[in-house]
Every structure is written in structure tokens, then in C-alpha cells.
Amino acid sequence: MLDDLDHRARQVLVNNDRGNYTIPTAGLYPYQWNWDSAFAALGFSNFDVERAWTEIETLFAGQWPDGMVPHILFHEVNEGYFPGPDIWGGIGPVPSSGITQPPVAISFARRIAIRDSHRAESRLAALYPAMLGWHRWFMRWRLDAHGAVCVTHPWEGGRDNAPDWDRAMTKIPLESAGRYHRRDTAHVAAEMRPKREDYDRYLWLVNQGRELQWNQAQLRDENPFRVADPAMTFICLRAARDLLATGTELGLEIDGLAADVRRLQEGAESLWNESINSFDSRTAGDGFNDVESSAAFLCWYAGIDQREQLKRLRIALKQVPYPIASCDPDSQQFEALRYWRGPTWAFMNYLIGIGLEEFALEDEADILREATRSLISRSGFYEYYNPLTGQAAGGGSFAWTATVWLDWAGRYEEDK
């Protein structure tokens, strides 16, 4: 059974391979997505490490002159996806979107290097300036006054319709998005996707960015959507730690990185919301959103051992049959099948799980890994799952879920 799932997981990655980049899944996501691509690279490193390096290198080939690495690279024309490159008006070397995504690629490049002792030093050294440039772009354009990392579009945080954004979304006009035809609901049931009013506001933000030619200084002043995000902050903090370690080991430039780590740690700690005993998102000008999401449990991945958060994790692991729900199941905002308002995501479990393992929180890590293994074994390599029933949801044959199996969940018995 496990050997068969290993084979199927590898086949998912091979089938989604487009030569030098990987799509998340056919149809629904036909381009190279930033953090999906990093996960695909990690998956490939389990059986084809050269292909893993190529994936990361292709992602950074789309880096903008200011250091930003876009959240989508449009390597070819595909009429089945909206909004495409003509809507975004990206200004990088490859047609692209105008926003970024959490920089797991920085940390995963280091993780891949551990498996490739022969080429690791040269490949990492070649990628390092680009990774450093991306980190510095975050530090320049995305920090709030406390040092937490903000997102300027729900898609930038990668958790498109999370309840974290609800307050900020109300600041965006509904009537200005114009006419458009969504393509996502042709592939996935509408009840599993963001609502029409969400898309109207997503596109309003895209249109604003294009009109401002993605000028970051102007966007910082004029964009009505700016939310300090626990997931983005924790992942940026982890990336900064890994960048500092890599630069130190390879004798490369590390000026300012130690200070950046301290600043990001302060920012992450500033997201602790005592009123809910959890890390929380914070809308600029409005304060905490009082939302407990699975993003809060990424603190250990970032190197922060928050014992009050551990109490919340232990509750979350028992709260649903298939943890961890992306939104607190006891909240009024919970929807078991609607994207980031409830479903369980295997890749989030993976990031949370390896953080727990690094802090020797073995009991919690084992529970989470076993739950993820059971979920994938039962329902296959899907984008996300109903946390109450285990029902597969979203896109099928999903690259990052295949990676979770190969890199973590499927190795449960072996590691035990």
C-alpha cells in the first residue's frame, strides 16, 4: 500500500512537470505558482535532485529587478486561466503576476542541499544573491511598524479567502472590478472556492496594482488592503534564519541578516493576541482580527516555541477527525469545504509538523503526521480536504500534496 502511494506520488509530480517548471495541477492551475513550485522541487529531490534544482532556478529566473519573486510565472499562454498576464501587467523578465507569495523556496533550497552533497554548494551559491534580494525586498516593502510581514493582496498570503482578511476586504469597493469570466469554477465546485464578491475585490486590487505599474512606494500608501499575516511572517522569519545559516556556511554576504532575524522575530511575537491566546493577523489601522487559523501553528516552523499556542494546538488536534482545520471549527466563519475557511491542507500540516519535530514536540508531531498520512491514504493527492469527513476537495493530482507524502507523511512508519 505504502509503496503504491509512493509510486503514485512520484507520478503526480512527473505528470505535472512541464520541463523546467511544475504546475500545481492540470486545468485549475496551469502555470508555475511560487510556493507550489518550491514544494514540487522538494518532492523531486526525493528521487531526482537535478530536477529539483532546475525547478528552483526557473522560479528565480522570473525575479523582478527590485528583488520580488512573483506568485505566478506565465511561461506560456493558456486561455483556461483567469486572470492572465494581460490583466496583471507584470514588469519582470518573464510574464508574471505583480505580487509574491511566502518564501518557502529559500528554506527548501537549503533542505534540498542536504540531499545533494555533490552539487549543493555551487547550486546554493549561485541562487544565494537572488534569495538575498527577495528577502531584502520583504524587509523594505512589507514590514509594519512592529516588524511583522504584511500582505497586500489575499493571493499574496496564499490563503485566498481566509477569515483573516474579512475586515480589510470591506475597505475595497465592490462595484469597480468590471466584467470578467471566472475559470476556476469550471474545474471545482463553486462551494469549494471563494465567492464572487471575493473575486470582485481581488481583481480591484490587481487593477490598482497594474495602474500604478506595481510601484511599491505608491502601493504602500494607496492600497486599502494591508494585513500583518502570521503565515507570511513565520515563513519569512524561517527563511531569514536559513539564509543567514547558508550565507555563513558558504562564506557569502550576510550583512544585516542577524538584525533582520531579530526584527522579524519581534514582529512575529507582536502578533500574539492575548484575547484569544493565539497568534493572529492584524489589519493596518484596525488591530487584531480575533481569528484563530492554522497559520498560528507555524510558530515552531519559524523557531518560536510558544507554550500557550501549544495548548491551542492540542485542542486543534482533537477538534476534528482530520486536523488541522484552516479555520477554528467552533467559529461562525468556519465552512468545511470553502478553501481557506475550514478545509485541512496537507502542506500546512507538513510545515507545522516539521516545526514541531525540530522542537522535539514528538507526541504532537506524530499525531499530526499520522492524521495526514491517513487522510492522503484515504482520499488521494488532493488540494485540500473536508476536516470533518476527510472528503477530497479542490484540485486533484496536486503536486504539493504528493510532496507531503514523499517527504513526510508517507515515511511515518519508516521513521518510527
Side-chain angles (χ1 to χ4, degrees):
M1 175 64 173
L2 294 179
D3 288 344
D4 178 58
L5 281 167
D6 286 348
H7 172 76
R8 287 166 54 193
R10 293 185 182 199
Q11 201 59 46
V12 166
L13 291 170
V14 170
N15 290 345
N16 290 347
D17 184 1
R18 295 298 180 266
N20 60 353
Y21 69 94
T22 307
I23 62 172
T25 187
L28 184 60
Y29 302 113
Y31 297 113
Q32 185 180 21
W33 259 259
N34 190 317
W35 64 341
D36 295 75
S37 179
F39 269 92
L42 190 62
F44 276 118
S45 72
N46 284 274
F47 60 96
D48 187 347
V49 74
E50 176 62 29
R51 180 63 187 81
W53 286 120
T54 299
E55 185 77 27
I56 298 287
E57 289 160 357
T58 302
L59 177 63
F60 279 97
Q63 186 170 34
W64 286 17
D66 65 0
M68 192 269 281
V69 180
H71 101 291
I72 306 174
L73 296 179
F74 301 104
H75 294 289
E76 58 184 30
V77 176
N78 190 310
E79 299 298 329
Y81 179 80
F82 176 86
D86 55 326
I87 303 297
W88 283 98
I91 57 175
V94 176
S96 71
S97 63
I99 57 176
T100 192
Q101 274 189 327
V104 290
I106 292 174
S107 295
F108 286 3
R110 181 171 175 80
R111 206 166 178 86
I112 292 166
I114 294 171
R115 296 175 178 157
D116 188 19
S117 57
H118 298 296
R119 289 159 290 191
E121 185 170 337
S122 61
R123 302 303 272 270
L124 266 181
L127 284 166
Y128 187 83
M131 295 192 296
L132 183 62
W134 192 15
H135 161 79
R136 288 181 169 159
W137 179 88
F138 277 110
M139 298 300 294
R140 181 177 185 185
W141 297 117
R142 288 295 185 268
L143 297 196
D144 71 3
H146 303 277
V149 184
C150 295
V151 296
T152 60
H153 193 294
W155 288 339
E156 189 162 71
R159 300 186 296 129
D160 302 17
N161 65 333
D164 304 63
W165 324 133
D166 288 357
R167 184 180 297 174
M169 289 281 275
T170 64
K171 301 179 180 182
I172 303 168
L174 262 178
E175 68 277 10
S176 304
R179 292 185 177 182
Y180 61 92
H181 177 60
R182 286 178 63 175
R183 306 298 176 89
D184 59 319
T185 50
H187 301 283
V188 174
E191 63 267 23
M192 297 182 183
R193 300 290 296 174
K195 296 178 181 179
R196 170 77 187 206
E197 55 264 34
D198 295 324
Y199 257 79
D200 288 344
R201 288 171 166 137
Y202 299 158
L203 291 172
W204 190 95
L205 291 169
V206 172
N207 291 337
Q208 183 197 51
R210 185 188 64 248
E211 290 167 5
L212 294 177
Q213 298 182 313
W214 303 106
N215 181 297
Q216 294 300 322
Q218 286 183 271
L219 282 168
R220 184 168 56 190
D221 295 335
E222 299 181 29
N223 187 339
F225 186 96
R226 192 171 182 86
V227 184
D229 174 23
M232 184 68 91
T233 302
F234 289 141
I235 291 170
C236 281
L237 173 54
R238 173 61 180 255
R241 294 188 196 280
D242 287 333
L243 201 58
L244 175 59
T246 297
T248 301
E249 291 165 5
L250 298 182
L252 301 172
E253 180 186 351
I254 58 170
D255 292 350
L257 280 177
D260 289 349
V261 168
R262 290 192 295 271
R263 180 65 171 151
L264 288 167
Q265 174 136 354
E266 291 170 358
E269 291 170 349
S270 79
L271 294 176
W272 181 257
N273 183 350
E274 291 186 359
S275 69
I276 63 171
N277 275 328
S278 179
F279 289 106
D280 189 13
S281 57
R282 185 172 55 226
T283 299
D286 290 329
F288 284 118
N289 293 309
D290 294 334
V291 172
E292 184 178 294
S293 71
S294 57
F297 304 121
L298 291 170
C299 59
W300 294 281
Y301 177 75
I304 298 175
D305 187 14
Q306 169 51 262
R307 288 292 150 157
E308 288 298 313
Q309 191 69 66
L310 184 60
K311 295 177 184 177
R312 302 299 304 166
L313 174 67
R314 288 168 176 160
I315 293 171
L317 290 173
K318 298 177 181 177
Q319 215 167 5
V320 292
Y322 299 95
I324 295 174
S326 51
C327 174
D328 180 5
D330 291 334
S331 77
Q332 293 182 346
Q333 297 152 312
F334 176 78
E335 296 181 67
L337 281 174
R338 196 177 293 282
Y339 217 40
W340 284 97
R341 302 186 78 86
T344 292
W345 295 70
F347 87 93
M348 285 289 282
N349 285 0
Y350 170 81
L351 294 176
I352 295 165
I354 62 175
L356 292 170
E357 289 167 3
E358 287 169 353
F359 275 92
L361 295 169
E362 296 173 1
D363 290 344
E364 292 79 12
D366 284 351
I367 291 169
L368 185 57
R369 186 154 63 151
E370 169 60 19
T372 308
R373 186 197 66 80
S374 176
L375 190 57
I376 296 174
S377 299
R378 167 195 169 102
S379 299
F381 301 103
Y382 271 78
E383 186 177 5
Y384 46 95
Y385 307 87
N386 184 325
L388 304 177
T389 67
Q391 173 190 346
S397 298
F398 222 84
W400 62 15
T401 308
T403 290
V404 170
W405 179 266
L406 291 172
D407 213 73
W408 183 64
R411 297 169 59 187
Y412 181 80
E413 293 299 331
E414 170 191 331
D415 288 354
K416 290 283 284 186

